[in-house]
Amino acid sequence: MINRRKFLKTSLAAFAAAQFTAFNVIARQLENYLTQFEKNRSKNPTRQPIKQTKTLNVKSFGALGNGAALDTKSIQNAINKAASYADGGTLIFPEGQYHTGSLTLKNNVHLHFEQGATLLGSTNIYDYQSHDGMVHSLLEANRCKNIAISGPGSIDGRGRELALNINDLHHRGVRVEPDFNDRRNRSRHRPSVIAFHHCEDIKLYDINIKNSAGWVQHYAGCRYLEIDNMKVESDAFWNNDGIDINDCENVKITGCFVNAADDAICLKSTTGGQFHNNHVYISDCVLRSSSNGIKFGTESMWGFTNVEIENIQVFDTYRSAIALETVDGAKLENVKINNVDAYNVGCAIFIRRGQRNRDVPVNTPVGNLKNIKISNVKAYISFLRADAEYQVRGPALNSFFNPIPASISGLPDAHVENVILENIEISYPGRANKGFAYRPADLPDLVPQERAEYPEYTMFGELPAWGLFVRHVTGLKMNNIKLVAREADFRPAYVFNDVQNLTLNKSDILSTNNTQVVCNKVVQVKISEVKGLNKAGNLESLSRNVLKIDEQSRQVSWH
């Protein structure tokens, strides 16, 4: 059995050796990581086996697998036949390219793609459109039980060609979409590769998925979902989320490589409240994204509870490595994240409790965000765009600001509660200057609340700290925090605004600013064992002189 953690550590060491100073170096990282993943790729020994059933060969039903003839009807007939057996059936795809439009899975059906077998998505939108005008995914399942997809073969959605053909039909007036997104020149109805809705007992093992026209995979309202040893490559078109989990219960995602033009692994909550995301486990994954590595939100109507994430590598990611967001009324509670290494990313940690209330009643109460523990995180923040080598890069950030710190932010009437940060090391580029952007640390009200805005680590524009900005939080414990400014940054490392019950113990600050910690309107704060650089460049204990406190703060201690 290949040791996945050994792979993560060896690939990290190789990546850390690079200095991120040239795009060609960054470009090689994808190749290097992918090579390492393939070399060390392995099955999770604890995963649940796929039930053995009667096997059928798809070619026995007339599928040609020559990459040209449309095999949709033959494959669907084979799926229907497999589903007709009392215990279901396993449909074998031998080596070949099986050109197809939308397929509907049934209860107790397992699709197995042998080495050299590829399910090749049609580039004709009419092959995905039903008589009622609805657009369906390449592989779709609704209210099914006991379904599985396994490799080592592949599924190729050919999403860019499909999406551009949809655009062409619209612009020529052949197939006009009334809600076409003219501003971004793309359809709002592009097929995913996989879409499973309200299904149970789902397994996806050892499969390779690539090139979606929209979200690569969407699992909504599902239970008992297990994804293992999957490779996702979809830098093909807009909204290429790698894996979207939407109000699912009892989910395991392990040992996956996800390279996506949008969020790599994203938990959403939109299905209507029968379920919410509960008991989700994600581990030993390598992620690359033109948006966020692991994200909760932005669609956040119902909930995210009891989520555990560990042993994650994020690289070349434009926005946040970790983004926890509830802005549409969802509860976000009891989340543990451990052992995350993030290199060449825009932000390490972004936590946001807001009140956008999109697609919910306008008076929907603010959702809870509490009981979060994030530990053993090491991050290297890029100064330039971390996704420069992507084919489809995320929308550029449209504000003037210096490098953005990690942040935890609630609302004046809705605090983030009970957060633990432990063993965190973040290296920032520095290079901030007041001529480009400036908000004084002692004037926190200059930072807008943005109560109803789209949550994003850059949503507040310029922030007055370079390391960590915390606002509207009750209960924050930080232990063993190391913040590094690779070049000079005029801002303090920490800014705390409207924070209650704060503990900061053991923090190394590798910069030489006269002020390193700013407290505004804080209550019950204990700060101890803070070290910084002296003029000789050595770490030494810092005196209380580097702490700046406003007149409204109370019970602040420094040791």
Side-chain angles (χ1 to χ4, degrees):
M1 181 185 72
I2 299 298
N3 188 318
R4 290 177 178 165
R5 295 189 183 185
K6 182 178 180 181
F7 156 59
L8 288 172
K9 290 180 180 179
T10 56
S11 60
L12 278 172
F15 193 88
Q19 297 300 310
F20 308 102
T21 56
F23 289 150
N24 64 334
V25 172
I26 295 172
R28 288 198 299 270
Q29 299 314 312
L30 174 58
E31 179 181 343
N32 292 342
Y33 276 114
L34 193 53
T35 299
Q36 286 293 325
F37 176 77
E38 294 288 7
K39 180 180 178 180
N40 297 293
R41 195 170 182 178
S42 64
K43 303 174 182 178
N44 185 342
T46 66
R47 73 188 190 186
Q48 293 296 312
I50 297 173
K51 183 179 178 181
Q52 297 297 311
T53 56
K54 181 179 178 64
T55 61
L56 301 87
N57 190 316
V58 69
K59 289 194 171 182
S60 299
F61 293 82
L64 298 178
N66 62 12
L70 196 65
D71 287 328
T72 309
K73 290 183 179 180
S74 299
I75 299 172
Q76 189 63 59
N77 287 338
I79 291 172
N80 296 343
K81 183 63 175 179
S84 71
Y85 296 111
D87 293 330
T90 299
L91 186 59
I92 305 296
F93 290 77
E95 182 178 357
Q97 292 189 320
Y98 299 88
H99 180 206
T100 181
S102 183
L103 299 166
T104 303
L105 270 66
K106 304 291 182 66
N107 289 339
N108 304 313
V109 171
H110 170 200
L111 306 183
H112 178 72
F113 297 90
E114 294 184 338
Q115 187 70 44
T118 299
L119 191 71
L120 198 63
S122 170
T123 59
N124 183 348
I125 186 58
Y126 293 108
D127 291 331
Y128 301 86
Q129 186 171 306
S130 54
H131 296 300
D132 60 3
M134 291 291 293
V135 172
H136 299 270
S137 298
L138 180 58
L139 290 173
E140 193 160 283
N142 293 282
R143 304 191 182 279
C144 291
K145 294 183 178 181
N146 189 30
I147 54 178
I149 300 172
S150 63
S154 302
I155 304 172
D156 184 352
R158 294 200 289 180
R160 182 177 299 166
E161 298 94 324
L162 174 58
L164 293 176
N165 285 342
I166 295 171
N167 286 3
D168 188 66
L169 291 173
H170 173 80
H171 292 311
R172 294 180 186 278
V174 176
R175 182 182 174 275
V176 175
E177 297 183 1
D179 60 348
F180 189 86
N181 188 335
D182 290 304
R183 184 171 73 89
R184 293 187 172 178
N185 190 34
R186 58 184 186 242
S187 167
R188 302 180 193 273
H189 309 284
R190 289 167 278 136
S192 298
V193 173
I194 294 174
F196 292 170
H197 302 142
H198 306 289
C199 297
E200 293 187 15
D201 298 314
I202 309 160
K203 297 176 178 65
L204 295 100
Y205 295 162
D206 315 320
I207 192 70
N208 305 294
I209 305 175
K210 60 183 180 180
N211 300 333
S212 182
W215 294 347
V216 180
Q217 304 168 76
H218 182 213
Y219 304 93
C222 295
R223 302 174 68 190
Y224 305 106
L225 165 65
E226 191 165 358
I227 300 173
D228 180 59
N229 198 30
M230 173 188 287
K231 181 175 70 174
V232 178
E233 294 183 280
S234 196
D235 183 9
F237 204 69
W238 296 98
N239 310 115
N240 272 185
D241 290 20
I243 303 174
D244 282 336
I245 306 298
N246 188 351
D247 288 331
C248 294
E249 293 186 344
N250 299 299
V251 176
K252 290 182 69 176
I253 302 173
T254 54
C256 295
F257 186 101
V258 181
N259 172 28
D262 210 315
D263 301 321
I265 299 178
C266 184
L267 276 61
K268 302 176 181 291
S269 183
T270 68
T271 64
Q274 181 182 4
F275 300 122
H276 68 272
N277 296 290
N278 188 31
H279 294 296
V280 177
Y281 178 72
I282 303 170
S283 76
D284 300 288
C285 292
V286 182
L287 310 176
R288 178 180 189 257
S289 167
S290 189
S291 193
N292 300 280
I294 291 181
K295 175 180 172 180
F296 293 28
T298 57
E299 296 92 336
S300 46
M301 300 177 187
W302 304 104
F304 315 87
T305 59
N306 304 311
V307 180
E308 184 175 356
I309 301 168
E310 62 181 350
N311 306 326
I312 303 297
Q313 170 63 40
V314 184
F315 72 103
D316 291 0
T317 292
Y318 185 33
R319 289 178 166 80
S320 301
I322 302 166
L324 308 180
E325 308 162 358
T326 174
V327 294
D328 302 319
K331 57 184 176 182
L332 199 165
E333 303 173 0
N334 304 329
V335 175
K336 294 181 180 179
I337 301 174
N338 179 51
N339 196 21
V340 176
D341 287 273
Y343 285 89
N344 195 38
V345 300
C347 178
I349 300 168
F350 174 69
I351 301 175
R352 172 61 172 168
R353 184 184 184 189
Q355 195 177 28
R356 177 182 62 172
N357 285 358
R358 191 176 76 179
D359 298 328
V360 297
V362 67
N363 60 348
T364 298
V366 183
N368 291 332
L369 203 168
K370 62 183 181 180
N371 302 335
I372 310 296
K373 182 177 181 180
I374 302 176
S375 57
N376 299 305
V377 173
K378 189 173 183 179
Y380 185 104
I381 307 303
S382 173
F383 183 76
L384 301 174
R385 283 193 68 131
D387 65 345
E389 290 296 324
Y390 282 65
Q391 295 184 46
V392 179
R393 292 174 295 279
L397 305 173
N398 58 357
S399 181
F400 293 100
F401 46 76
N402 290 299
I404 299 291
S407 67
I408 308 171
S409 61
L411 296 169
D413 57 329
H415 280 205
V416 175
E417 302 175 68
N418 302 331
V419 176
I420 297 173
L421 301 180
E422 189 172 72
N423 301 329
I424 309 293
E425 180 179 342
I426 307 176
S427 173
Y428 289 95
R431 298 179 60 179
N433 73 80
K434 293 182 180 180
F436 189 68
Y438 178 49
R439 281 180 174 151
D442 60 347
L443 296 175
D445 290 342
L446 291 179
V447 179
Q449 296 293 335
E450 304 292 15
R451 185 183 192 99
E453 295 305 309
Y454 185 96
E456 187 64 83
Y457 84 101
T458 57
M459 66 185 297
F460 306 112
E462 173 71 357
L463 289 176
W466 64 261
L468 178 65
F469 176 75
V470 180
R471 180 168 66 172
H472 308 317
V473 174
T474 297
L476 173 60
K477 295 180 180 180
M478 296 187 292
N479 183 58
N480 195 23
I481 311 296
K482 182 178 181 180
L483 301 177
V484 179
R486 300 191 297 273
E487 296 188 39
D489 194 311
F490 65 86
R491 299 169 294 179
Y494 294 100
V495 171
F496 302 104
N497 177 222
D498 185 23
V499 178
Q500 302 175 25
N501 192 14
L502 163 67
T503 300
L504 173 58
N505 179 53
K506 296 182 180 178
S507 179
D508 292 346
I509 303 172
L510 275 66
S511 80
T512 56
N513 295 1
N514 292 329
T515 300
Q516 296 288 18
V517 182
V518 174
C519 293
N520 296 296
K521 302 177 185 177
V522 300
V523 179
Q524 292 184 324
V525 174
K526 297 179 181 179
I527 301 175
S528 58
E529 298 187 51
V530 176
K531 296 181 179 180
L533 293 179
N534 58 26
K535 292 183 179 180
N538 299 316
L539 274 175
E540 65 178 16
S541 296
L542 295 178
S543 71
R544 190 184 175 98
N545 293 335
V546 301
L547 171 66
K548 188 172 184 179
I549 309 173
D550 74 339
E551 295 179 352
Q552 299 182 60
S553 295
R554 304 190 308 276
Q555 301 175 19
V556 178
S557 67
W558 179 284
H559 299 287

